Amino acid sequence: TVIASASEGLYSTISALVHPGDEVIYFEPSFDSYGPIVRLQGATPVPIKLSLADFRVNWGEVAAAITPKTRMIIINTPHNPTATVFDEADIARLKALTRNTDIVILADEVYEHVVFDGAKHQSMACHSELAERSVIVSSFGKSYHVTGWRVGYCLAPAELMNEIRKVHQFMVFSADTPMQYAFVDALANRESYLGLSAFYQRKRDLLAHGLRESRFELLPSAGSFFMLARFRGFSDETDSDFVLRLIRDARVATIPLSAFYSDGTDSGLIRLSFSKDDATLIEGARRLCEI
Ligand SMILES: Cc1ncc(COP(=O)(O)O)c(C=O)c1O
């Protein structure tokens, strides 16, 4: 189904499939809409924190959090905001944990075409056992640098999609027609999306190079167009205060990682985006080196 942005797809999917009393597991730090959409259905969000050491999923904690009320697990690979990606081991654990259950996987794969260093994107669509219980949501906004055009796509087995379309129809009826024609043309050129990993990997490396003499500790970025930077080594400010100071003093806008937690966890990290032209990245890095 062509959807009016991934945001719409996430909302339509969760409101079609999650009901009062259900529990939905997802991982924090997380994209900001998951928890509120679950709460709006009268269901209970069950956020599990990614390990602070490497921001990977602790599957033992997921196993412990699953109850008979668990209706859905939301995953996001490549991950916003931590730039981690699922590997084969994550897929194996996800298969084992959901086998013989009614749990639906909502896979937010909006950065599916932005995976670095030769790694392979682990789409739910590539694993038949997971595909049959998954709803995949993706976004043309990310693949074509047009976040304002608001078109995406949603894949799911027919019985799940029938329910999702009931919400989609009464919420937006359809995605914007002129934009759909535009994407049909754009998709004819496969390089436009198959070349994205190389496009963003170069920008990631440009930003990291520009920051090599800074006081920030950069965390690895394996996918998406984000990178986390640790400032705790040289400042005890809260991450929000630190971000405000960067905006005021350096005129560089970043996001405090605490904004991606429902309990405001602050580990002294900020999220940088390298979805910018080269000149902006070079100048932004130069200014951050002065902090
Ligand atoms: C992980 C994730 N999911 C969903 C979205 C929403 O995408 P869209 O702009 O298509 O609504 C974003 C946008 O930032 C995102 O980072």
Side-chain angles (χ1 to χ4, degrees):
T1 298
V2 178
I3 50 181
S5 79
S7 300
E8 191 258 308
L10 293 169
Y11 195 94
S12 293
T13 302
I14 296 170
S15 61
L17 305 178
V18 172
H19 303 298
D22 290 343
E23 294 175 358
V24 175
I25 292 173
Y26 67 97
F27 303 97
E28 286 190 339
S30 82
F31 184 62
D32 51 5
S33 74
Y34 308 151
I37 301 174
V38 171
R39 274 203 304 281
L40 275 168
Q41 313 315 314
T44 307
V46 181
I48 295 180
K49 284 187 185 163
L50 298 172
S51 137
L52 276 179
D54 56 7
F55 291 106
R56 303 204 68 82
V57 174
N58 178 335
W59 291 103
E61 281 182 43
V62 182
I66 291 177
T67 75
K69 292 182 179 170
T70 305
R71 173 64 177 142
M72 177 180 278
I73 299 177
I74 306 177
I75 61 165
N76 170 214
T77 182
H79 188 248
N80 176 12
T82 68
T84 52
V85 300
F86 270 29
D87 60 18
E88 289 282 355
D90 293 310
I91 296 293
R93 296 300 302 276
L94 187 58
K95 279 184 191 166
L97 282 180
T98 52
R99 195 168 290 144
N100 302 322
T101 71
D102 292 331
I103 296 172
V104 173
I105 297 165
L106 171 52
D108 180 340
E109 299 189 16
V110 299
Y111 301 104
E112 61 182 318
H113 293 298
V114 192
V115 181
F116 304 137
D117 306 314
K120 181 177 175 294
H121 169 55
Q122 295 291 345
S123 175
M124 298 306 106
C126 298
H127 303 276
S128 53
E129 183 182 347
L130 294 175
E132 63 191 28
R133 64 170 70 251
S134 292
V135 179
I136 298 172
V137 169
S138 198
S139 171
F140 287 118
K142 309 298 175 195
S143 305
Y144 288 100
H145 331 284
V146 284
T147 49
W149 290 22
R150 317 307 299 146
V151 182
Y153 43 97
C154 180
L155 287 82
E159 67 276 14
L160 294 178
M161 190 60 92
N162 284 342
E163 300 308 305
I164 296 166
R165 281 193 183 165
K166 290 174 190 168
V167 178
H168 169 76
Q169 175 177 353
F170 288 142
M171 186 148 57
V172 294
F173 203 86
S174 76
D176 190 323
T177 307
M179 295 310 173
Q180 293 197 54
Y181 279 111
F183 287 119
V184 169
D185 277 358
L187 284 167
N189 173 11
R190 287 163 57 84
E191 231 352 81
S192 62
Y193 51 96
L194 295 181
L196 267 190
S197 292
F199 175 85
Y200 278 116
Q201 185 169 319
R202 197 189 60 76
K203 288 190 181 289
R204 175 197 69 171
D205 294 344
L206 182 69
L207 179 60
H209 181 76
L211 288 170
R212 72 194 181 288
E213 311 253 285
S214 77
R215 296 201 285 168
F216 291 94
E217 179 199 339
L218 301 181
L219 274 58
S221 168
S224 80
F225 34 70
F226 305 116
M227 189 191 293
L228 296 183
R230 196 186 309 279
F231 64 87
R232 195 52 93 230
F234 60 91
S235 166
D236 286 332
E237 290 160 277
T238 66
D239 61 2
S240 307
D241 284 347
F242 184 74
V243 159
L244 287 173
R245 181 156 70 88
L246 291 187
I247 293 171
R248 286 199 199 98
D249 296 356
R251 316 294 289 171
V252 174
T254 63
I255 300 192
L257 197 65
S258 62
F260 299 91
Y261 285 93
S262 50
D263 68 359
T265 296
D266 177 353
S267 347
L269 290 161
I270 57 173
R271 192 198 72 174
L272 310 177
S273 166
F274 44 88
S275 180
K276 299 283 166 224
D277 61 38
D278 290 0
T280 305
L281 291 175
I282 291 167
E283 177 59 15
R286 189 192 65 73
R287 293 182 191 194
L288 290 179
C289 284
E290 291 173 356
I291 294 294

